[in-house]
Structures are given as structure tokens and as C-alpha cells.
Amino acid sequence: MDKKEYIKRQISRTNKKDYENYVITRIIHGVDDLNVKFITQQYVKRPNGRALADLYFPQMNYFIEIDEGHHLTQMEADKARDADFEDATGVKPKRIDVASKSIEEINQQIDEVITEIKSLITEKKQEERWVDWDLEAEMSPDTWIKKKKIHVNDKVAFRKIVDGCKCMGLNYAGYQRAGANHPFEENTLIWFPKLYPNGVWENEFDESKGLIIERNIESVEKRHAHIRSCLNDNRQRRIVFARVKGMLGDVQYRFRGVFELDKEKTNNEIGLVWTRVSKETRTYDYM
Amino acid sequence: MDKKEYIKRQISRTNKKDYENYVITRIIHGVDDLNVKFITQQYVKRPNGRALADLYFPQMNYFIEIDEGHHLTQMEADKARDADFEDATGVKPKRIDVASKSIEEINQQIDEVITEIKSLITEKKQEERWVDWDLEAEMSPDTWIKKKKIHVNDKVAFRKIVDGCKCMGLNYAGYQRAGANHPFEENTLIWFPKLYPNGVWENEFDESKGLIIERNIESVEKRHAHIRSCLNDNRQRRIVFARVKGMLGDVQYRFRGVFELDKEKTNNEIGLVWTRVSKETRTYDYM
């Protein structure tokens, strides 16, 4: 996928029936910079489930919400939402009111947002903290090998399992279904699990607590056998690239951190419990 | 409906699955002028049926076509289409190729179109031929009363029958289901017909020939009775505002010209035949 396809798909996800498409396209065309990445309908975690931000610029950590309806109860709900938003992202979303405003006022709000975005970009460039949007590089293991480490906050996601292996210094050979033995770190598996219920596995992942639960529900015997075999395996440290659906519905493997088996919490009822010991891990060049 | 609602609805008709929405919104936001009217999916007559232009600026008579697919056969078809287009509108459409071009090249093509549109506007303003887009005025009878006449080419369409009556000098009173007697012109009916098959009427309208055919198909007796009664009626001159569906699915009454009963062509088989005698008629102030 190239930027042309990416942009089309992102814009195609905006709702046409209301003003969302109008506002978002005015912002994108107004910013008018193919080095600036944007994401429409970005998931944001909330205490009770999650919310979608209408537009998100990851390079500037800038979120935009389009307010279609506005009465007082709505404004209260928005305040609660903004607070949750700030907890999750560190920033308040910028709100654009389209419900009670004229087209001239809507345009004015949007143009202020565009000015703000442009000055954030300029600021980052002056401070030399700006990196151009590079769709290919983002998903290339070489980018992360060069950086010498990956962090959960980098939101690294690879298209293929082999790319995750590569940045751990392993070139294809040696990959197995469950993952691959780390070539340089002892007792460590490079792991590509599905961290959600799938088939006979009732797996869970809690990002805020940094916990993975792995539970076989095929039968009591199989669950116990699986737990026993892991407790007897020396690879109780895992570098986790979880299989997720990408923004555009494609399969990706997203770095979730380094986990270790929590023998205290693990038991035959709950299943295996893995605890995150680091949000960061170093990368290695492959041969 | 105000411009805010109009713009939203026009943009909402663009196809989201391809590049149409991207291109059209970039043009609209780039031109960035609420005094410039645009129409998406404008019908254009062709010898074999009709075509939709992706974007149309009526003030400049400027059409834009977005080319999604491009092989040689397509290009041949486009040439034929451009020729038909020119016959119908007097101009060739501007084509934007999105199929074989990169996003940078697409943006460049669009930006050239925006520059061209802006210079057309400037030109018209310098020649004092520019009229700002005024959504309310367009549909107000007062606008046409002030102009002292309406012409088919003005594409006048009113929201209500009473508005058509008003600009003929008649304020509401005197309106009947079939139309209203013209208060100042003899033997003339202000007529608001459905010029398409509806219920027991198989009506037709041919714009290029300037012909209306009115035919009752309920029974031979009723058809003959209707023809007889019209031949005996002295109001054989008609100012026609045809009931049509507006761009946005709303009912409108569009001025089609002045027609007279063609007694030569009218017969019991065909029905009543009305021939256009003028594309223009004068307007009158109402009390």
C-alpha cells in the first residue's frame, strides 16, 4: 500500500451523511503535506470501553473531534470524554462544533485548527524532533534495527512475522508456529500470539495492567497439560508481537513489550499469566 | 436549506470508495469561496441517454471529470463522451486522471484546476459578469420579478407553486389544481404539470424538440373527453413550470417556457400536443 491508497482508505472511512467528511477533508487538504500522517477514527481507550477520535495526527499527538449535536447533556458527556481522552493520550482533543454554527463559522474553526497544526509542525522541525511520514519505513524492520530499540509507544506493527523476527536478529530460518527462539537472548521466545478469544484459546490482554492471560478451554485435561508444559519450558521470557487487525483491516503484528511468566498468579483455573517486565526491548541486526 | 446544508448534501453524493471524494473536496476547499456554487453529479444530456459530470461550476460553465480507469478503449470512449459533452454544454470537461498517477501528480492536476477556476472567476469579475452565488435568491420569485423576465437558460426552479404564480403577478388567491389563470395575459394558464408518466397520465416532455405530450390512459372515453375539453377551452397558451425532482430529491417547479396547443398534431391517439413558442416570458410584480 502506498500513500495514495492509504489516504483514500482513511478518507473513505469518514461518515458522508454528516459534516465529518467535509471537516476532515478541509483539514487534510488545508494542511496539504504528504509528510504528515493522519488517521481517521483512531481508537482511544476509555475506562468503559473505547472511543473513536474523528481525526488523529500521530506525529503531533493531535486529536480532533467533530461535534455534530450540542445540547447541555451532550456538553457534560463531552467533558467526561475529554478527561478520559486526556488520561489516555496526554492531551485534550480539539473540538470543532458543526451543529450550532454557520458554514462561515465552521470554516473559521477549521482554519484555526489548520494554523495550529502547521505551527506545531514548524515547532517540531525547529526543535529537530520532526520525522517525515514514511509509510514504508514505519513497517520495515530495518527502521527499528537502526534505532537499536523499540518501545510500545512507537506503536510498531509489522506486516509479517518474519519482520518481527528480523529485528530480533533472526532471518526467517528457525521460525515455528508458536514463535521463534531468540538468537541472542537466553530463555526467550519471540512470540506472535492472538491475544483475544480464538478457537480453543480464551486469551486476554490488558494494556493498562500489562497482563496477558493464556487459557485453553478445549478441555480441563488440555488446559492443565498446556500449563504444565509451559512451566517445564525454560523459555519463560517472551518478546510479544500480538496479532492485531490494522487500521485498514489487514493483519499486523504489534509490539506489546517484554513479558515473563508469573508463576504466582498462574494456576489451573485462570491459566497462564504473563506480566510485562518492560515496554522496551533492544533490536539486533540480522545476517 | 442553507449553503451549509447544500454543501454537505452535495459532497455526500460523491463516491467514497474511490478518489472522487478526495478530488472534489480538494477542489472545493481549494477554491474556498462560499460565493461560488458547485454541483456534484450534474446531469448532462447525451444522444444516447445522459451522463453525470462529477463536478460542475455553473457560474463559470466549468465541468470536471475524474478518470478512475484508463486503458485505450476507455480513452476512445472518453473522446466520444467529450464531444457529446461539448455539444450539450459548449465546453469540454476538464479531466483529472487518478488511475495512473501518483498522489503528488493527482494533487498537481487538482491544483492546476483550482488555479484555472480562480482565474475564470477573476476574469468574470473584471468583466463585471460575475454574480455571487445566492441560494435564497435563486429560488425566490422576487429575484425574477426584478429581472423582469425568466429564460429557460436561467434554470429557474421554485420550491412552491405559489412562487411560480407570484412572479406572474398572482399572489396565491386564484390557484387551482390544474394551474392558475394568468392575471395579465389573455387565454393563458400558469401551469405546473408532471411531464412524465404518473397515474392515469402518460405525459412526455422533449426538451430538444420543445414538445409536451399530454395523454390520459385511463380509458379511451376519458382521453377523448379530456382532449375535447381542452380544445374547447380558450386557455390554449401555457406558461409551464414542470414539477421535477431537485438535485437533492426535493420537489421543484422548473420553468420550461411558453407553450401553445398544437391543434394540427393533437389527435385522439397521441393526445394533446403542446409546442414551445418561447423560451422566455416576462414577469410581473404581485400585490
Side-chain angles (χ1 to χ4, degrees):
Chain A
M1 188 174 57
D2 59 6
K3 284 187 184 180
K4 177 183 171 186
E5 183 69 19
Y6 176 94
I7 291 169
K8 181 184 79 173
R9 290 208 202 169
Q10 287 290 331
I11 289 179
S12 81
R13 302 194 306 179
T14 61
N15 193 336
K16 274 205 315 176
K17 294 286 166 215
D18 54 28
Y19 293 100
E20 187 185 330
N21 178 256
Y22 178 83
V23 174
I24 285 175
T25 55
R26 189 170 173 96
I27 295 170
I28 299 309
H29 294 310
V31 171
D32 193 24
D33 189 338
L34 293 170
N35 291 319
V36 176
K37 184 178 184 177
F38 68 94
I39 299 167
T40 59
Q41 297 182 21
Q42 167 72 40
Y43 280 111
V44 176
K45 275 216 165 63
R46 299 190 67 191
N48 307 316
R50 41 193 195 168
L52 287 173
D54 293 315
L55 183 59
Y56 171 48
F57 290 95
Q59 287 150 309
M60 298 87 86
N61 199 36
Y62 192 92
F63 294 85
I64 294 158
E65 287 280 274
I66 298 156
D67 287 334
E68 298 276 345
H70 246 308
H71 17 86
L72 280 171
T73 52
Q74 175 78 40
M75 285 173 70
E76 285 305 309
D78 284 347
K79 271 188 195 166
R81 205 157 163 255
D82 284 0
D84 289 347
F85 216 103
E86 203 171 352
D87 282 347
T89 66
V91 290
K92 278 209 175 73
K94 190 87 191 176
R95 292 194 171 276
I96 293 176
D97 176 11
V98 297
S100 62
K101 305 293 183 185
S102 70
I103 186 75
E104 289 84 359
E105 289 167 328
I106 293 170
N107 284 349
Q108 200 190 325
Q109 290 178 79
I110 297 171
D111 296 345
E112 282 168 17
V113 162
I114 293 169
T115 305
E116 192 168 13
I117 289 169
K118 284 184 171 172
S119 73
L120 282 173
I121 296 168
T122 307
E123 201 178 291
K124 281 216 148 191
K125 282 183 177 170
Q126 282 167 347
E127 293 170 2
E128 292 178 358
R129 291 186 301 123
W130 180 259
V131 183
D132 276 352
W133 177 33
D134 187 334
L135 198 54
E136 279 312 303
E138 265 177 23
M139 297 196 118
S140 159
D142 297 330
T143 304
W144 304 100
I145 292 165
K146 253 183 247 153
K147 288 207 176 175
K148 306 238 186 265
K149 60 182 182 180
I150 47 176
H151 191 284
V152 165
N153 289 350
D154 295 328
K155 302 194 185 225
V156 183
F158 296 116
R159 279 196 205 89
K160 293 176 187 162
I161 286 176
V162 64
D163 292 335
C165 290
K166 272 183 176 171
C167 70
M168 295 296 118
L170 187 68
N171 203 349
Y172 214 58
Y175 164 67
Q176 288 162 7
R177 207 162 153 262
N181 290 326
H182 199 297
F184 303 112
E185 297 181 11
E186 282 202 342
N187 302 326
T188 301
L189 190 74
I190 313 164
W191 193 28
F192 303 92
K194 295 178 181 172
L195 297 182
Y196 46 85
N198 69 94
V200 300
W201 297 96
E202 200 173 67
N203 298 342
E204 292 173 41
F205 171 56
D206 187 321
E207 166 64 43
S208 52
K209 292 183 187 155
L211 275 185
I212 292 171
I213 292 168
E214 201 190 357
R215 180 168 43 224
N216 188 308
I217 53 166
E218 194 174 1
S219 68
V220 173
E221 291 72 31
K222 295 230 173 172
R223 183 189 313 162
H224 294 185
H226 174 248
I227 292 168
R228 251 195 326 276
S229 95
C230 281
L231 287 170
N232 291 329
D233 193 315
N234 60 352
R235 299 169 304 174
Q236 292 179 357
R237 183 171 179 269
R238 302 212 165 169
I239 293 170
V240 176
F241 293 91
R243 187 185 158 109
V244 295
K245 256 200 176 168
M247 286 292 156
L248 308 171
D250 48 329
V251 170
Q252 296 183 357
Y253 299 91
R254 185 170 293 278
F255 180 61
R256 291 294 188 203
V258 184
F259 290 72
E260 283 181 9
L261 186 58
D262 190 329
K263 290 179 196 167
E264 297 286 310
K265 287 184 184 152
T266 292
N267 66 45
N268 279 338
E269 298 315 305
I270 296 175
L272 293 166
V273 178
W274 301 86
T275 302
R276 183 155 59 195
V277 293
S278 176
K279 287 189 171 186
E280 188 180 280
T281 199
R282 69 162 285 199
T283 57
Y284 301 83
D285 207 353
Y286 57 93
M287 293 304 115
Chain B
M1 187 175 56
D2 58 7
K3 283 188 184 180
K4 178 183 171 187
E5 184 68 20
Y6 177 94
I7 291 168
K8 182 185 80 173
R9 291 207 203 169
Q10 286 290 331
I11 289 179
S12 81
R13 302 194 307 179
T14 61
N15 193 337
K16 275 206 316 177
K17 294 285 167 217
D18 53 29
Y19 293 100
E20 187 185 332
N21 177 256
Y22 178 84
V23 173
I24 285 175
T25 56
R26 190 170 174 96
I27 294 171
I28 300 309
H29 295 309
V31 171
D32 193 24
D33 189 338
L34 293 170
N35 292 319
V36 176
K37 184 177 185 178
F38 67 94
I39 299 166
T40 59
Q41 297 183 20
Q42 168 72 41
Y43 280 110
V44 176
K45 276 215 166 63
R46 298 190 67 190
N48 307 315
R50 40 193 195 169
L52 287 172
D54 294 315
L55 183 60
Y56 171 48
F57 290 94
Q59 287 151 308
M60 297 86 85
N61 199 36
Y62 193 91
F63 294 85
I64 294 157
E65 286 281 275
I66 297 155
D67 287 334
E68 299 276 346
H70 245 310
H71 16 87
L72 280 171
T73 51
Q74 175 76 42
M75 286 173 71
E76 284 305 310
D78 285 348
K79 270 188 196 166
R81 206 156 163 255
D82 285 0
D84 289 347
F85 216 104
E86 203 171 353
D87 283 347
T89 67
V91 290
K92 278 208 175 74
K94 190 86 191 176
R95 292 196 170 273
I96 293 176
D97 176 11
V98 296
S100 64
K101 305 293 183 186
S102 70
I103 186 74
E104 289 84 359
E105 288 167 330
I106 293 170
N107 284 350
Q108 201 192 324
Q109 290 178 79
I110 297 170
D111 296 346
E112 282 167 17
V113 162
I114 293 168
T115 305
E116 192 168 12
I117 289 169
K118 285 183 171 172
S119 74
L120 283 172
I121 296 168
T122 307
E123 201 177 290
K124 282 215 147 192
K125 283 183 176 169
Q126 283 168 348
E127 294 169 3
E128 293 178 358
R129 291 187 300 123
W130 180 258
V131 182
D132 276 352
W133 176 34
D134 187 336
L135 198 52
E136 279 314 302
E138 265 177 22
M139 297 195 118
S140 159
D142 298 330
T143 304
W144 304 99
I145 292 166
K146 251 183 250 155
K147 289 206 176 174
K148 306 235 187 269
K149 58 182 182 179
I150 47 176
H151 191 285
V152 165
N153 288 351
D154 294 328
K155 300 192 187 228
V156 183
F158 296 116
R159 281 196 203 90
K160 293 175 187 162
I161 286 176
V162 64
D163 293 336
C165 290
K166 273 183 175 171
C167 70
M168 295 297 117
L170 187 67
N171 203 350
Y172 213 59
Y175 164 66
Q176 288 163 5
R177 205 163 153 260
N181 290 326
H182 199 296
F184 304 111
E185 297 182 12
E186 281 201 343
N187 302 328
T188 300
L189 190 74
I190 313 165
W191 193 29
F192 303 91
K194 295 178 180 172
L195 298 181
Y196 46 85
N198 69 96
V200 300
W201 297 96
E202 200 172 69
N203 299 341
E204 292 174 41
F205 170 57
D206 187 321
E207 166 64 44
S208 53
K209 292 183 188 155
L211 275 185
I212 293 171
I213 291 167
E214 201 189 357
R215 178 167 44 222
N216 188 308
I217 54 166
E218 194 175 1
S219 67
V220 173
E221 292 71 30
K222 296 229 173 175
R223 184 188 311 162
H224 294 185
H226 174 248
I227 291 168
R228 251 194 326 276
S229 93
C230 282
L231 286 170
N232 291 329
D233 194 316
N234 60 351
R235 299 169 302 175
Q236 292 180 356
R237 183 170 179 270
R238 303 214 165 169
I239 293 172
V240 176
F241 293 91
R243 188 185 157 109
V244 296
K245 258 201 174 167
M247 286 291 158
L248 308 171
D250 48 329
V251 171
Q252 295 183 359
Y253 299 91
R254 184 170 294 278
F255 180 62
R256 293 292 188 204
V258 184
F259 290 72
E260 283 181 10
L261 186 58
D262 190 328
K263 291 179 196 166
E264 298 287 309
K265 287 185 184 153
T266 291
N267 67 45
N268 280 336
E269 298 315 304
I270 294 175
L272 294 164
V273 178
W274 302 86
T275 302
R276 183 155 60 196
V277 293
S278 176
K279 287 189 169 186
E280 188 179 278
T281 199
R282 71 161 283 200
T283 58
Y284 300 84
D285 207 352
Y286 56 95
M287 294 305 114

